[in-house]
Amino acid sequence: MTKLLAGKTALVTGGSVGIGEQIARQFADAGARIALTYLTHEPQEELVAALTSASGHQPLLLPVDATAESQVAGALDQVRAEFGGLDILVNNVGGLVQRATLDALELDLWHRVLAVNLDSLFLFTHHAHPLLTRGSGRIINVASLAGRSGGHPGALAYATAKAGVFGFTRSLAKELAPEGITVNALAPGFIEATPFHDTFTSAESKAATITAIPAGRAGVPQDVAGPALWLASELSGFVTGTVVDINGGQYFG
C-alpha cells in the first residue's frame, strides 16, 4: 500500500519536541522527507534516527530563531538546496512566553508573544511560498483552543495571537486557492506531554481541566498528528480555510 506522503517533502517548524515532534514522526512514517526547525530544544539522536529509518532520508535539521527574518529566509534557502522544493509547511512554532494579566502585561511582553506566534507564522509562510508545489501544496498552522475560548488567566496576549492564526489561515486560504495550495489550521485543546503545560500549567490546573473534558482524558501529541496527516495528504484536497478543533469535546466552535 502506498504511503500517504510518499515522495513528499515537509517542513515542520518547532519540530523537535511535543506536537511538532509527533507531526514530524507521523509524516516520516507516511513516507515524507522531513526538514525541521528548532531553537531551545535540540533534536535528540533517537528522533533523528527514527525519522531517517521511517522515511529513508536523513532529516534536515535547522536551528532558527523563527522571529528573525534573515534566519527564516536562510533556512528556506537550505530547504531549497537540499530538497529542491517543498510540498508541506507546518507552522508549529509558538508559545505563551509568560503568563500576565492585563495590568501586568507590558508592551514588550505583548510584542514578544505576538512575534513568536504571528511573526513566525508570517515569515515562514512568506519565504516558503515560492517553494511550495502548485496544485497540491499544503500549509498547516497550529493554533490553539485558547484562540477560541480566551484561555486560562494570564493568556491574554497568547489567546489574541492564536485567534490571529485563524484569520491568517482563512485569508490566505482564499488567496492561495487558485494556486491549488490549501491552508488550514489545527486548534489543539489540553495536550499533555508538551513543554507548554510542563512550564505554564500547575498540577491543580491540569487536574481541573482534564475533569472538564467530556472525553475523560487529556490529549497527547499523537491526537494532533493524525489530523495533521490528513490535512497534509491528498485526502483533504478540497478542504481549505478550515480550523480543526482537537479537544475531546471540551469546546465546539
Side-chain angles (χ1 to χ4, degrees):
M1 181 177 178
T2 302
K3 292 187 175 183
L4 280 176
L5 301 184
K8 302 291 187 180
T9 298
L11 170 61
V12 183
T13 71
S16 64
V17 69
I19 289 172
E21 175 187 341
Q22 194 58 45
I23 290 174
R25 289 177 182 269
Q26 185 84 70
F27 285 11
D29 287 344
R33 297 176 295 179
I34 302 297
L36 64 82
T37 74
Y38 65 95
L39 184 60
T40 56
H41 296 84
E42 186 172 352
Q44 299 295 305
E45 291 183 6
E46 186 277 331
L47 172 61
V48 175
L51 296 178
T52 302
S53 175
S55 68
H57 299 273
Q58 185 83 11
L60 179 60
L61 309 177
L62 302 164
V64 179
D65 177 349
T67 67
E69 183 168 17
S70 61
Q71 294 189 37
V72 173
L76 269 300
D77 285 343
Q78 290 184 64
V79 170
R80 186 196 298 271
E82 182 74 15
F83 298 132
L86 188 63
D87 300 292
I88 305 156
L89 169 65
V90 180
N91 286 306
N92 173 66
V93 164
L96 182 66
V97 181
Q98 178 183 325
R99 288 198 185 276
T101 53
L102 178 61
D103 289 344
L105 180 57
E106 297 182 351
L107 185 60
D108 177 68
L109 177 57
W110 172 267
H111 284 162
R112 283 192 289 141
V113 175
L114 267 59
V116 76
N117 290 284
L118 289 177
D119 290 3
S120 65
L121 172 65
F122 165 73
L123 289 172
F124 270 103
T125 306
H126 176 75
H127 287 284
H129 178 228
L131 280 66
L132 282 167
T133 305
R134 270 47 179 178
S136 61
R138 301 284 189 266
I139 298 173
I140 302 168
N141 302 321
V142 179
S144 170
L145 172 60
R148 293 197 184 279
S149 68
H152 289 282
L156 176 60
Y158 177 76
T160 301
K162 290 305 187 182
V165 175
F166 301 150
F168 182 94
T169 297
R170 289 164 178 149
S171 183
L172 192 63
K174 291 183 177 182
E175 184 175 324
L176 299 188
E179 300 178 14
I181 296 173
T182 66
V183 187
N184 293 287
L186 304 170
F190 186 82
I191 307 296
E192 283 195 306
T194 64
F196 184 104
H197 289 297
D198 291 344
T199 303
F200 297 111
T201 309
S202 67
E204 293 79 10
S205 180
K206 287 181 182 181
T209 299
I210 293 170
T211 299
I213 297 174
R217 67 171 178 88
V220 292
Q222 292 90 329
D223 292 316
V224 185
L229 175 61
W230 174 68
L231 289 175
S233 75
E234 295 181 0
L235 299 177
S236 62
F238 200 55
V239 178
T240 195
T242 293
V243 176
V244 179
D245 292 301
I246 307 165
N247 57 50
Q250 188 179 4
Y251 181 92
F252 300 106

